[in-house]
Amino acid sequence: MVGALIFLAGGAVGGVTLGALGVGTALIAVPLLTLVLPWLGVPADAAPLTALATSMAVVAVTSVSSVLSHHRLGNVLWPVFRVTILASVTGVVVGAAVATHLPAAALRLVVGVFLLFTAWRMLTGGAGKASAALSAAGLSSGVESANVYRLGGALIGLAGSFIGAGGGVLMVPFLSGRGHPMTRAVATSTAIGLPVTVAGALLYTALGLRDGVDLPGQIGYLHLPALLEIGVASALTAPLGAKLSARLPGPLLKRIFALLLIPLALKIAVG
């Protein structure tokens, strides 16, 4: 009962931040699941991968309502989505496939350092200066620009697979750095994250079945009760976050986003 209440509360907060900033549910879900799952009988050695798989599924569930809200508000850059999505899905599939074979401490350190650098860039205004000539409504012309989006999407999908997210913590500053307004960067990142997290959750689930994970309430590494509780609470509150995103000034959103990245980076780096 206590675990369910914790998951519901965490999901509600995560949904608001996902809708407003394009990231949030995974920031809360992964450390929360890692902490609480052993209380619920999940072995300590299986808890990290279970947290990643379940977080991916939660973000996918939450993203549905958030994407719909952003689309109705006209904030999703669908040309960017179409160019980026295949590379992002490929990145998360590759990342999930190799995640169990790479040193966890090294991965945490690399991602943590990168997030700290990203937070510093956003707080100092550096992330918004690159490629300022890009149109706010779509891609600039040229094969080079499209390839930049594909490469960025692939690398972000790869990194997202290691932190149980759709890559919003990296995709939002990437899109902002390409000259897109923060509100549209958030909306487009959320749209890209939906199929990315679906692919990641399915693959982690399949890997759990391959590894013979057979625990009550789980399918592979996917923890169904946690998915239901966090996912429902997040989905209900994500539209509120999307409305906040449309009303708050872009520079303020950037600062909030950067401040959220700092504790996330430290948490990931130290494990």
Side-chain angles (χ1 to χ4, degrees), residues 162-247:
F162 299 133
I163 58 175
V169 290
L170 308 176
M171 183 61 75
V172 172
F174 171 73
L175 293 176
S176 176
R178 298 294 295 166
H180 299 296
M182 188 63 176
T183 299
R184 292 193 170 189
V186 168
T188 308
S189 172
T190 306
I192 293 170
L194 176 55
V196 166
T197 49
V198 169
L202 290 175
L203 186 54
Y204 274 119
T205 299
L207 288 172
L209 294 173
R210 181 204 66 182
D211 294 341
V213 175
D214 184 17
L215 296 170
Q218 289 193 205
I219 301 176
Y221 287 117
L222 184 64
H223 194 281
L224 296 179
L227 167 60
L228 177 63
E229 291 151 5
I230 300 176
V232 168
S234 298
L236 290 174
T237 57
L240 173 60
K243 292 178 181 178
L244 290 175
S245 173
R247 294 177 181 176

Side-chain angles (χ1 to χ4, degrees), residues 13-27:
V13 175
V16 171
T17 53
L18 178 68
L21 301 173
V23 64
T25 304
L27 304 187

Side-chain angles (χ1 to χ4, degrees), residues 82-102:
R82 287 190 290 271
V83 168
T84 308
I85 187 58
L86 180 59
S88 294
V89 171
T90 301
V92 78
V93 169
V94 172
V98 303
T100 57
H101 302 290
L102 295 177

